[in-house]
């Protein structure tokens, strides 16, 4: 069966490493139409019927950067069968912020938790079965660098490509009532699976989505809820996401109790010290300058 995977993740989550491992030399690099954002496409090297698009590294599906706009337009408008969400397991909490948004798109999602080798070295444990249950999608550990767990991920992606997906709703009842009211303003042409995503964007007053939908909206619905919560709509959604994520992480992430600080923490303590930081910076700059104009220069 022919199908298309979108590879999505935060910058530095290991997306490029995974894309290269999956595609080998079967890849084509260009630009997204009209913008200077790199577009990478390829075929899975062991099965050319599986197309893979490597979307730019992003933290969210908001409209604030070109990368975010390109990524969400692709996910909403192109035929994507499965989203392969690569997550940096050593920064689980931060990375899951994007995952909560991907789960709202109504496209099947497979989460690959990368940096397994780092987690093993630290002796930190993630309960992948529980994480999968809580997110409502398959979650598998991988190491893109060490080529571990990749075959299992592709087998799961193949299985998910045949399925329909319900968007994951993480919001409390009062917020859902408002989202439902906003859904009523959406045009009929918006598919059922995408209506949750669009109602959230209307609630957040996302002007690009609003222009695209070209609809009249009762703004009071949003303003009343903002008054009730004493916060602006975008922060209400952000807070709800982080509350959900911190609950999930507390249930699945078992951090080994560490005696003392790691080497990196010890270095950070010295170079970010209130008194020592600037002299260290000046010394490093001096050495760089000195080396470049004397020996190397
Ligand atoms: C450098 N394990 C480990 N330990 N590292 C990994 C893994 C993994 O499973 N997967 C990826 N990385 P990208 P985005 C680097 O480049 O694929 C590493 O932005 C370095 N470079 O090797 O680029 C990967 O595409 C010098 O690390 O991520 C890369 O998502 C010193 O994670 C980094 C140390 O991967 C980001 C690391 C000159």
């Amino acid at each position: 069966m022919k199908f298309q995977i979108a590879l999505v993740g935060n910058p530095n989550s290991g997306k490029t490493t995974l894309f290269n491992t999956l595609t080998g030399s079967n890849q084509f690099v260009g630009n997204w139409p009209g913008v200077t954002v790199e577009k990478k496409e390829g075929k899975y090297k062991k099965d050319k019927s599986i197309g893979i698009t490597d979307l730019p590294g992003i933290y969210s599906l908001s409209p604030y950067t070109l990368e975010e706009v390109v990524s969400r337009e692709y996910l909403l408008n192109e035929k994507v069968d499965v989203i392969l969400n690569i997550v940096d397991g050593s920064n689980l909490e931060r990375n899951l912020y994007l995952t909560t948004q991907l789960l709202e798109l109504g496209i099947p999602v497979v989460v690959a938790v990368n940096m397994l080798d780092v987690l093993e070295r630290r002796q930190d444990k993630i309960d992948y079965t529980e994480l999968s249950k809580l997110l409502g999608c398959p979650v598998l550990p991988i190491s893109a660098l060490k080529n571990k767990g990749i075959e299992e991920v592709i087998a799961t992606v193949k299985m998910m490509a045949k399925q329909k997906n319900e968007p994951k709703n993480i919001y409390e009842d009062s917020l859902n009532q408002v989202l439902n009211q906003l859904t009523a303003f959406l045009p009929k042409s918006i598919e059922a699976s995408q209506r949750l995503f669009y109602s959230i964007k209307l609630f957040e007053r996302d002007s690009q989505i609003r222009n695209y939908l070209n609809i009249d909206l009762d703004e009071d619905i949003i303003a009343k809820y903002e008054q009730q919560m004493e916060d602006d709509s975008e922060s209400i959604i952000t807070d709800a996401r982080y509350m959900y994520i911190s609950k999930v992480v507390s249930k699945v992430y078992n951090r080994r109790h560490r005696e003392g600080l790691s080497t990196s923490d010890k270095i950070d303590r010295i170079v970010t010290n209130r008194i020592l930081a600037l002299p260290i910076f000046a010394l490093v700059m001096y050495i760089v300058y000195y080396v470049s104009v004397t020996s190397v220069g």
Side-chain angles (χ1 to χ4, degrees), residues 5-10 13 15 18 58 82-88 95-103 108-114 135 137-138 140 142 153 157:
I5 304 174
L7 198 54
V8 192
N10 285 185
S13 55
K15 229 160 39 63
L18 180 61
I58 49 169
V82 182
I83 293 174
L84 177 50
N85 175 208
I86 180 160
V87 159
D88 174 358
N95 280 239
L96 286 181
Y97 186 73
L98 177 63
T99 309
T100 58
Q101 299 176 61
L102 298 174
L103 291 168
V109 176
V110 174
V111 173
V113 179
N114 193 27
L135 296 178
C137 70
L140 295 109
I142 64 160
V153 164
V157 164

Side-chain angles (χ1 to χ4, degrees), residues 9-18 40 54 57 86 114-118 121 142-146:
N10 285 185
N12 284 321
S13 55
K15 229 160 39 63
T16 308
T17 313
L18 180 61
K40 285 195 275 180
D54 184 18
I86 180 160
N114 193 27
M115 312 278 177
L116 182 60
D117 55 315
V118 178
R121 208 166 43 239
I142 64 160
S143 172
L145 192 66
K146 312 265 176 196

Side-chain angles (χ1 to χ4, degrees), residues 8-11 56-73 75 94-102 105 197 201 204 206 234 237-238 241-242:
V8 192
N10 285 185
I58 49 169
Y59 294 105
S60 136
L61 295 178
S62 308
Y64 299 122
T65 65
L66 266 179
E67 286 78 5
E68 288 169 352
V69 172
V70 161
S71 297
R72 77 177 191 182
E73 278 182 4
L75 292 171
R94 193 186 64 194
N95 280 239
L96 286 181
Y97 186 73
L98 177 63
T99 309
T100 58
Q101 299 176 61
L102 298 174
L105 289 167
F197 173 84
K201 291 297 149 199
E204 289 179 321
D206 185 315
E234 236 181 318
I237 295 287
T238 306
R241 288 194 201 286
Y242 274 117

Side-chain angles (χ1 to χ4, degrees), residues 6-273:
L7 198 54
V8 192
N10 285 185
N12 284 321
S13 55
K15 229 160 39 63
T16 308
T17 313
L18 180 61
F19 181 73
N20 291 340
T21 304
L22 291 174
T23 59
S25 56
N26 305 295
Q27 49 175 272
F28 171 78
V29 182
N31 267 7
W32 292 90
V35 287
T36 53
V37 178
E38 196 177 68
K39 179 178 191 179
K40 285 195 275 180
E41 286 190 296
K43 300 269 181 219
Y44 179 42
K45 62 186 177 192
K46 295 187 181 169
D47 180 352
K48 305 280 185 306
S49 67
I50 304 176
I52 307 169
T53 305
D54 184 18
L55 294 182
I58 49 169
Y59 294 105
S60 136
L61 295 178
S62 308
Y64 299 122
T65 65
L66 266 179
E67 286 78 5
E68 288 169 352
V69 172
V70 161
S71 297
R72 77 177 191 182
E73 278 182 4
Y74 182 82
L75 292 171
L76 286 170
N77 302 325
E78 301 297 323
K79 221 199 115 4
V80 174
D81 296 291
V82 182
I83 293 174
L84 177 50
N85 175 208
I86 180 160
V87 159
D88 174 358
S90 63
N91 269 308
L92 191 62
E93 192 147 353
R94 193 186 64 194
N95 280 239
L96 286 181
Y97 186 73
L98 177 63
T99 309
T100 58
Q101 299 176 61
L102 298 174
L103 291 168
E104 286 163 359
L105 289 167
I107 301 169
V109 176
V110 174
V111 173
V113 179
N114 193 27
M115 312 278 177
L116 182 60
D117 55 315
V118 178
L119 292 167
E120 284 176 347
R121 208 166 43 239
R122 289 187 188 172
Q123 296 181 24
D124 288 350
K125 298 248 176 333
I126 296 177
D127 184 342
Y128 300 102
T129 315
E130 183 65 13
L131 183 57
S132 166
K133 219 157 62 186
L134 293 169
L135 296 178
C137 70
V139 177
L140 295 109
I142 64 160
S143 172
L145 192 66
K146 312 265 176 196
N147 210 343
K148 268 193 190 167
I150 314 285
E151 300 274 326
E152 289 82 348
V153 164
I154 292 297
T156 310
V157 164
K158 277 184 180 169
M159 202 180 68
M160 292 301 286
K162 295 172 197 148
Q163 297 186 7
K164 281 242 160 243
N165 216 43
E166 283 291 307
K168 170 100 184 149
N169 188 321
I170 61 166
Y171 305 105
E172 58 174 301
D173 291 350
S174 63
L175 180 51
N176 266 317
Q177 275 173 20
V178 177
L179 295 176
N180 282 339
Q181 280 175 283
L182 295 174
T183 308
F185 290 91
L186 291 173
K188 297 221 164 30
S189 55
I190 302 290
E191 282 178 36
S193 60
Q194 294 188 334
R195 294 178 89 82
L196 175 66
F197 173 84
Y198 278 105
S199 68
I200 294 165
K201 291 297 149 199
L202 288 182
F203 180 70
E204 289 179 321
R205 299 197 177 85
D206 185 315
S207 54
Q208 286 197 6
I209 294 283
R210 189 77 187 268
N211 289 343
Y212 165 73
L213 292 172
N214 195 19
I215 50 172
D216 284 325
L217 192 69
D218 181 0
E219 294 282 347
D220 276 357
I221 300 172
I222 305 169
K224 264 192 213 154
Y225 193 70
E226 286 178 321
Q227 256 178 7
Q228 189 186 324
M229 301 303 288
E230 297 178 350
D231 210 346
D232 65 282
S233 62
E234 236 181 318
S235 307
I236 292 171
I237 295 287
T238 306
D239 286 352
R241 288 194 201 286
Y242 274 117
M243 260 166 57
Y244 171 78
I245 292 166
S246 88
K247 252 194 264 167
V248 168
V249 171
S250 71
K251 284 185 188 155
V252 303
Y253 201 102
N254 193 346
R255 192 180 297 273
R256 186 180 81 98
H257 175 67
R258 280 187 256 285
E259 302 283 330
L261 297 168
S262 67
T263 313
S264 160
D265 290 337
K266 284 180 196 159
I267 296 170
D268 281 354
R269 268 205 162 177
I270 299 168
V271 296
T272 61
N273 179 280

